Amino acid sequence: MLKIAVLVSGGGTNLQAILDAADSGKITNTEIRVVISNNEGAYALERAKNYGTEALLLSPKSFETREEFNQKLLEALKERDIDLVVLAGYLVVVPPCVIKEYENRIINIHPSLIPSFCGKGCYGLHVHEKALARGVKVSGATVHFVDEGTDTGPIIMQKPVMVEQGDTPEVLQRRIMEQAEWNILPETINLIANGKVHVDGRVVTIDK
């Protein structure tokens, strides 16, 4: 049984997609053990409570130093015997101590086809603003492992989404969530839970 922690900063729509997939059987062999947020106003914490999963508020602002927060986050994951950390709209930089402890066991969903429109400053609506300003015809989403870079870890899964004439960043964001993010993030978790994802350097292979 894969024990996962989902880290979220906002509303938690990707979290809800994970919860729904677990309920419907699209995700198997998985226990959603804790939802952690840095934001006490995050609706993701309510989603967790409604599902019956532990909702943990853990904010850097509550600690005197960032190092104290980093260690507390690591302790929280280890105390719950977490196997996989899922970043689902988490706007806090994951500390090196967590990345080292969970090498190739942290995944993130990014709302573009990496390596396009990713890296420092590319999050939320900023990604879609950049995509539309560049005039791309196809965007999408990427699930990747997390390393110490920004959006530089091995790519696990990608799904393209067409950009339509007249799109606003908000409209494109919604389409990418509905057509890509809410599908490939739960699918990736299920694949990992069932031992079908393998990493060799920067290349990921998936058993069929």
Side-chain angles (χ1 to χ4, degrees):
M1 184 71 71
L2 186 79
K3 297 176 287 293
I4 70 171
V6 185
L7 278 54
V8 196
S9 291
T13 54
N14 274 305
L15 168 64
Q16 191 63 53
I18 295 168
L19 299 175
D20 291 346
D23 272 346
S24 69
K26 290 181 179 178
I27 294 177
T28 60
N29 197 32
T30 299
E31 176 191 349
I32 304 162
R33 181 155 283 194
V34 64
V35 172
I36 300 174
S37 182
N38 61 300
N39 176 12
E40 65 177 341
Y43 187 62
L45 293 173
E46 292 302 314
R47 294 183 194 270
K49 292 173 186 174
N50 292 339
Y51 189 78
T53 294
E54 181 187 4
L56 177 63
L57 174 63
L58 200 57
S59 171
K61 296 177 182 178
S62 302
F63 298 87
E64 289 189 8
T65 69
R66 193 55 173 260
E67 182 58 33
E68 287 182 45
F69 165 76
N70 293 347
Q71 287 302 317
K72 188 63 178 179
L73 177 59
L74 179 59
E75 288 171 15
L77 296 171
K78 294 176 73 173
E79 285 169 2
R80 290 160 180 81
D81 199 23
I82 297 301
D83 300 309
L84 180 71
V85 179
V86 180
L87 308 183
Y90 189 59
L91 300 181
V92 176
V93 175
V94 179
C97 62
V98 173
I99 293 172
K100 182 178 179 180
E101 181 73 24
Y102 289 89
E103 183 179 6
N104 291 333
R105 293 194 293 147
I106 307 173
I107 63 173
N108 179 55
I109 182 80
H110 183 77
S112 76
L113 297 176
I114 292 174
S116 296
F117 313 113
C118 66
K120 189 175 181 180
C122 281
Y123 61 90
L125 280 177
H126 298 306
V127 177
H128 309 296
E129 290 168 354
K130 289 177 180 294
L132 291 174
R134 183 62 183 85
V136 297
K137 307 306 179 189
V138 180
S139 190
T142 302
V143 180
H144 64 93
F145 285 111
V146 174
D147 60 14
E148 291 192 11
T150 304
D151 302 325
T152 56
I155 292 170
I156 307 167
M157 188 172 290
Q158 294 183 301
K159 185 174 178 60
V161 174
M162 298 304 296
V163 177
E164 298 179 7
Q165 190 168 330
D167 272 350
T168 63
E170 291 80 6
V171 168
L172 181 57
Q173 179 184 55
R174 184 71 185 186
R175 186 182 307 116
I176 288 174
M177 286 193 296
E178 292 176 348
Q179 295 184 13
E181 294 181 45
W182 298 348
N183 293 304
I184 64 174
L185 184 56
E187 184 178 354
T188 298
I189 294 169
N190 186 57
L191 289 168
I192 292 173
N194 289 282
K196 294 187 176 183
V197 176
H198 310 281
V199 190
D200 182 7
R202 294 183 59 79
V203 178
V204 174
T205 55
I206 298 173
D207 295 340
K208 295 185 178 180

